[in-house]
Amino acid sequence: MSGKRFVLMLALVASLSSGALFAAGGRDSITPTDLREWLTYLASDELEGRAVYTEGLGLAAGYVQTHLQSWGLSPRGDSGGFLQTVRVRSVKTTNRSSVTVQVGKESRTFKEGDGITFPRFIGAKRSFAATRVEFAGYGVDAPGARYSDLAGKDYKGAAVVFLGTSGPKALDTALARRLLGGRGRYLTDQMGAAAAIGPAQFTAQPAAEPNGRPVRPDFVTTQRIDQAVSPSVTANDAFFQFLFSRASFRYDDLKRRADAGESLPGFRLDGVTITWNLDADYQVIRTQFTQNIVAVLEGTDPELKDTYVAVGAHYDHVGYADTELGEDQKRPSAPGRVTVGRESDRIWNGADDDGSGTVAVMALARAFAQGPRPKRSVLFVWHAGEERGLLGSRYFADFPTVPMNKIVAQLNIDMIGRNRDDKASEANTLYLVGSDRISSELHDINREANRGLDQPLTLDYEMNDPADPEQVYFRSDHYSYAAKGIPVIFFTTGMHQDYHANTDEVSKIEFPKLARVTQLVYETAWRLGNLDHAPARDFKGPRAGRGTRD
């Protein structure tokens, strides 16, 4: 037995024998004292920053599992255990995809790398025709900045085309730059477009070894590679010239206006059909393993217990620096930002990101296990590899251990232990993302839950705005569930100067606030767990945004 594991066992024995095992459940069992105890271990130097694929992350998993066992939660990982193995595959692709554009009676075929460029991952082989083709101007939706090409439009099932590599003059340059890269994804994932086509931009070619083969794989994924994916592609001038050859607006004029940042019209390209032939072979060249932690508390209702309220957080962080300080007091290849004056600290503890969410989900698991049980079951997932690209949640969404169509909502917790920018004026503020995008009813349930607290929080929806410069809706584990059509809420208290820095430490956590936010998640989950129906999914998109506060 390693020294670290021996220390871990002693710590757990001391904790459980102290009476914590027998603490009363329910909302009031969520206290700053317990959260501090658990986080002090999980964000300690001993766990070396909890990077994916490391012993430190394994120690964290063991710590969480042992508590779950003591609280009587049921395992829902692989082979009757709490751990679900996440297979992270590095893949090379051979892409033979093409599109055939028919304009009136004329047609042309554009192959991968010749007029059109497909992403490296295009999903399963398939062919389909898009008989409705829409031009969406710049393809930007930023209502918070009072600009939208997409407002009021229905693009479901259409192939949507957009132009502009620098965005409209009506938008701030920095904001436009952040939004442009996600246009295709927004159209396919959020607006239901069958495909998205945008202008080609320069991308660097991968470095090559002496034999000419790329050093890196074409992509790394934990998702199924045999599922249908809506393509989002880029095209060159020749493609667009033909596509717009019979349109009411000529491509040359549209491109000139886009390059100048001038307003662009939106219109349907009548008489145009685009037939997609998605044809790629994938070769897995490397597989790595990490683990999600999965537990279930069974509900009390004979019918509703087969449905789930999912609660989650990621328990990994970015690790530690294995390089030494140079003469300039800089550390090469550090895993994150180095705080001035703390150059010698080589461990990124991740107390807030996302140690705070990790211990919050632990507190929720105990509160439900040792308190009144809801009618629905509650699913608890500690996702691995969020910092590497939502690895664990994407895997769970494609390889779930409970049926995904039985999950009525997912509540994701990431960074809830500080005040935004460490401002005292933010002491009562909590930021919510996604609550109204898929289910208006979920949004209202959460607001009612907040009003039911002894000290309601101020709910701020700034980060839910499509114009949010950080685009956090797409950046944490809830998005893996939202992409499957599951209503979600992302709870966060916002960024601060220690985000991904080696000074994100337990000493800076606001534990009373952490407990209050966790209690709100409990109240929301409790109401969802006793609702006699699943929250209605109306897919109205983000309406609460910058300036919306409850």
Side-chain angles (χ1 to χ4, degrees):
M1 180 182 294
S2 72
K4 288 182 179 179
R5 289 189 173 87
F6 181 70
V7 172
L8 169 60
M9 290 186 64
L10 288 179
L12 287 175
V13 169
S15 171
L16 300 179
S17 64
S18 69
L21 174 61
F22 305 104
R27 189 182 78 185
D28 291 342
S29 71
I30 301 170
T31 67
T33 300
D34 292 326
L35 295 167
R36 182 188 297 273
E37 176 188 330
W38 302 333
L39 187 57
T40 297
Y41 175 73
L42 289 169
S44 66
D45 284 357
E46 184 177 346
L47 270 65
E48 298 174 348
R50 307 188 312 279
V52 70
Y53 314 127
T54 66
E55 182 182 8
L57 190 67
L59 290 172
Y63 186 81
V64 174
Q65 284 182 89
T66 302
H67 281 83
L68 295 176
Q69 291 168 340
S70 72
W71 297 330
L73 276 296
S74 299
R76 197 55 66 90
D78 300 332
S79 304
F82 286 104
L83 296 182
Q84 179 195 33
T85 298
V86 176
R87 290 166 174 81
V88 185
R89 294 175 293 178
S90 298
V91 183
K92 289 181 64 62
T93 180
T94 302
N95 199 330
R96 297 175 295 274
S97 299
S98 64
V99 296
T100 298
V101 181
Q102 182 173 343
V103 181
K105 295 183 179 180
E106 296 183 67
S107 66
R108 285 185 59 183
T109 297
F110 298 85
K111 298 180 180 180
E112 158 65 16
D114 183 14
I116 195 161
T117 301
F118 287 81
R120 297 301 87 195
F121 175 52
I122 60 168
K125 294 182 180 182
R126 64 188 180 109
S127 296
F128 68 95
T131 57
R132 181 162 66 97
V133 182
E134 301 277 356
F135 178 60
Y138 291 97
V140 169
D141 187 39
R146 299 183 178 180
Y147 181 90
S148 180
D149 295 303
L150 312 179
K153 303 294 178 62
D154 179 8
Y155 292 131
K156 189 173 180 62
V160 183
V161 182
F162 54 87
L163 296 177
T165 58
S166 56
K169 288 189 294 188
L171 278 183
D172 172 76
T173 302
L175 173 59
R177 188 180 302 116
R178 293 187 182 100
L179 294 175
L180 292 179
R183 290 177 289 181
R185 178 177 59 181
Y186 187 85
L187 286 163
T188 57
D189 291 3
Q190 301 301 306
M191 300 198 72
I197 307 171
Q201 294 178 288
F202 173 79
T203 55
Q205 296 299 312
E209 295 176 336
N211 62 8
R213 299 180 63 187
V215 174
R216 297 180 180 274
D218 291 318
F219 62 92
V220 176
T221 187
T222 57
Q223 297 176 273
R224 299 183 66 97
I225 58 177
D226 59 353
Q227 64 183 337
V229 175
S230 297
S232 178
V233 304
T234 60
N236 65 10
D237 288 340
F239 177 93
F240 288 120
Q241 288 280 7
F242 183 69
L243 182 69
F244 286 95
S245 59
R246 294 195 179 184
S248 52
F249 292 86
R250 294 298 181 183
Y251 171 64
D252 288 342
D253 182 52
L254 292 171
K255 183 183 179 184
R256 178 192 61 77
R257 292 166 68 171
D259 290 344
E262 298 174 4
S263 63
L264 293 176
F267 55 89
R268 181 171 296 184
L269 280 78
D270 293 321
V272 176
T273 297
I274 302 178
T275 300
W276 300 79
N277 177 37
L278 305 179
D279 182 9
D281 290 327
Y282 305 111
Q283 178 189 4
V284 178
I285 59 175
R286 186 186 189 196
T287 299
Q288 295 173 281
F289 295 146
T290 186
Q291 288 82 31
N292 292 328
I293 310 166
V294 190
V296 164
L297 180 80
E298 187 175 76
T300 60
D301 186 269
E303 295 183 2
L304 292 179
K305 70 178 183 180
D306 291 330
T307 64
Y308 301 86
V309 179
V311 181
H314 73 91
Y315 73 107
D316 65 306
H317 195 52
V318 299
Y320 67 94
D322 58 4
T323 56
E324 303 302 324
L325 287 173
E327 295 181 359
D328 58 359
Q329 290 299 294
K330 292 184 179 180
R331 195 183 296 278
S333 302
R337 191 172 60 82
V338 179
T339 298
V340 175
R342 294 288 298 277
E343 290 83 0
S344 62
D345 189 344
R346 67 195 310 155
I347 296 177
W348 275 248
N349 300 99
D352 194 23
D353 184 15
D354 187 24
S356 62
T358 300
V359 298
V361 179
M362 290 176 65
L364 290 164
R366 187 183 69 176
F368 278 106
Q370 298 184 351
R373 294 195 176 196
K375 296 177 181 179
R376 274 195 178 82
S377 297
V378 186
L379 171 71
F380 302 95
V381 185
W382 290 261
H383 302 104
E386 189 266 3
E387 301 289 4
R388 295 287 192 95
L390 316 186
L391 298 179
S393 61
R394 284 176 170 165
Y395 188 87
F396 188 88
D398 274 4
F399 302 94
T401 61
V402 304
M404 288 295 284
N405 63 357
K406 296 293 187 179
I407 299 176
V408 303
Q410 199 271 345
L411 310 178
N412 181 45
I413 308 168
D414 196 347
M415 295 180 64
I416 59 167
R418 301 271 291 268
N419 294 330
R420 187 179 185 182
D421 297 327
D422 293 323
K423 293 180 179 178
S425 59
E426 291 276 317
N428 201 54
T429 301
L430 174 67
Y431 293 89
L432 300 181
V433 180
S435 61
D436 64 345
R437 294 191 180 215
I438 298 174
S439 173
S440 301
E441 186 175 9
L442 175 62
H443 179 74
D444 292 337
I445 289 170
N446 183 71
R447 294 174 65 203
E448 292 170 2
N450 185 54
R451 288 193 287 266
L453 296 178
D454 296 334
Q455 294 178 282
L457 293 153
T458 299
L459 307 182
D460 193 307
Y461 299 91
E462 174 187 338
M463 297 180 190
N464 188 52
D465 198 303
D468 168 45
E470 299 296 336
Q471 293 290 288
V472 296
Y473 180 67
F474 302 99
R475 290 176 49 191
S476 192
D477 291 312
H478 58 274
Y479 185 70
S480 300
Y481 296 81
K484 300 292 186 180
I486 296 172
V488 300
I489 305 178
F490 175 38
F491 299 82
T492 184
T493 50
M495 301 291 187
H496 45 72
Q497 63 181 356
D498 296 309
Y499 172 66
H500 278 198
N502 60 340
T503 44
D504 180 6
E505 299 172 338
V506 174
S507 61
K508 299 182 179 181
I509 297 296
E510 303 284 348
F511 284 99
K513 182 174 185 177
L514 172 54
R516 290 176 61 204
V517 174
T518 307
Q519 289 174 351
L520 172 58
V521 181
Y522 176 90
E523 279 293 322
T524 304
W526 175 258
R527 291 167 189 250
L528 289 167
N530 289 293
L531 198 65
D532 63 4
H533 61 278
R537 304 181 185 188
D538 51 15
F539 296 95
K540 290 185 176 180
R543 284 149 290 142
R546 185 179 298 275
T548 306
R549 291 165 68 91
D550 287 331

